Amino acid sequence: MEIEMRLLEEWKANNDLLKFYEDLKQKRFAHFLTIQTAFLAFFALLAKDALGTLTMVSLTALVLIAIPPLIISFYFIRVDTRSRAFVDTTNTRLLLIEEEWKRLSPDSHFSTYQQLFAVLSRHDGDTVEKYLGARKLKDDPFKRLAQSKSAHASEHAILRMFWWLWIVLASVAALIHLIWHMVKGFGTIS
């Protein structure tokens, strides 16, 4: 009984830690999107101004404004990768606790994370069918949903998309700036 209580307390603590970290990760992602959207709006306003009246100042500003969100994207990609490692480690620890519990107390263990992992990560057909049978819904979309990519992968793809977006925008702005200098001359300031 003492071992079961220790395992239960450890499971609860790890589960709470996982929920906290997932919530923190979601908030961080929302902040990232807010920051990137603001920079994108500012870039669009500068681009509208720069393309309306081509000047060295407006073209330089257009190139320079892409640098901070590019750095921010790089930072968030690294933080997201580390966060996913933490979440996956905590998930694995929960799996290990459940395995130890099953080995020590086969009559009183539960396998919440074993089953979730079987459905969401391994896409185990038998476990998915077991869940479908328990749900008993007509035209249940659960099987399709269980086979979808994880939110972590989608979020990371969005982070990488912004990274590449800012590289492309900075490159295009620098190219326009260079072409302007080639047409107007490198010594011209207007």
Side-chain angles (χ1 to χ4, degrees):
M1 188 68 165
E2 183 179 320
I3 292 172
E4 291 175 1
M5 287 305 296
R6 181 191 62 80
L7 289 170
L8 179 61
E9 291 301 319
E10 187 176 351
W11 190 92
K12 283 181 185 178
N14 278 280
N15 190 43
D16 288 345
L17 183 62
L18 179 66
K19 288 190 292 187
F20 169 77
Y21 215 84
E22 283 281 3
D23 184 55
L24 182 64
K25 189 175 177 313
Q26 291 302 312
K27 288 176 182 172
R28 192 181 305 122
F29 184 67
H31 291 303
F32 170 80
L33 291 177
T34 302
I35 292 166
Q36 292 296 319
T37 303
F39 271 110
L40 206 51
F42 192 58
F43 184 87
L45 289 172
L46 282 176
K48 180 182 173 191
D49 181 52
L51 296 176
T53 310
L54 287 176
T55 65
M56 187 176 84
V57 173
S58 64
L59 289 174
T60 302
L62 197 58
V63 173
L64 294 178
I65 193 62
I67 294 171
L70 182 62
I71 293 168
I72 292 168
S73 293
F74 177 75
Y75 170 76
F76 270 88
I77 287 171
R78 292 191 51 153
V79 169
D80 182 67
T81 301
R82 187 67 182 161
S83 296
R84 288 189 309 140
F86 183 86
V87 167
D88 282 351
T89 301
T90 306
N91 273 329
T92 304
R93 180 65 192 135
L94 287 164
L95 293 170
L96 291 171
I97 291 169
E98 288 180 9
E99 284 179 7
E100 183 180 358
W101 196 328
K102 183 177 182 179
R103 185 178 54 79
L104 294 173
S105 301
D107 295 334
S108 69
H109 86 285
F110 58 86
S111 60
T112 301
Y113 273 88
Q114 292 287 348
Q115 289 182 15
L116 287 174
F117 196 78
V119 170
L120 299 174
S121 295
R122 289 191 297 256
H123 307 291
D124 179 63
D126 292 339
T127 310
V128 170
E129 290 301 323
K130 179 180 175 182
Y131 275 55
L132 280 169
R135 293 167 57 91
K136 298 177 184 152
L137 296 172
K138 184 178 181 196
D139 300 323
D140 194 346
F142 179 76
K143 189 171 190 172
R144 183 177 40 84
L145 295 172
Q147 293 172 346
S148 66
K149 286 195 177 243
S150 75
H152 295 301
S154 300
E155 289 168 0
H156 197 72
I158 291 169
L159 292 170
R160 292 185 60 81
M161 178 203 68
F162 272 104
W163 163 257
W164 287 109
L165 173 69
W166 288 112
I167 288 174
V168 167
L169 290 175
S171 299
V172 168
L175 183 63
I176 291 170
H177 189 102
L178 180 63
I179 291 169
W180 185 83
H181 275 297
M182 292 172 74
V183 170
K184 295 283 191 175
F186 283 94
T188 305
I189 298 177
S190 60

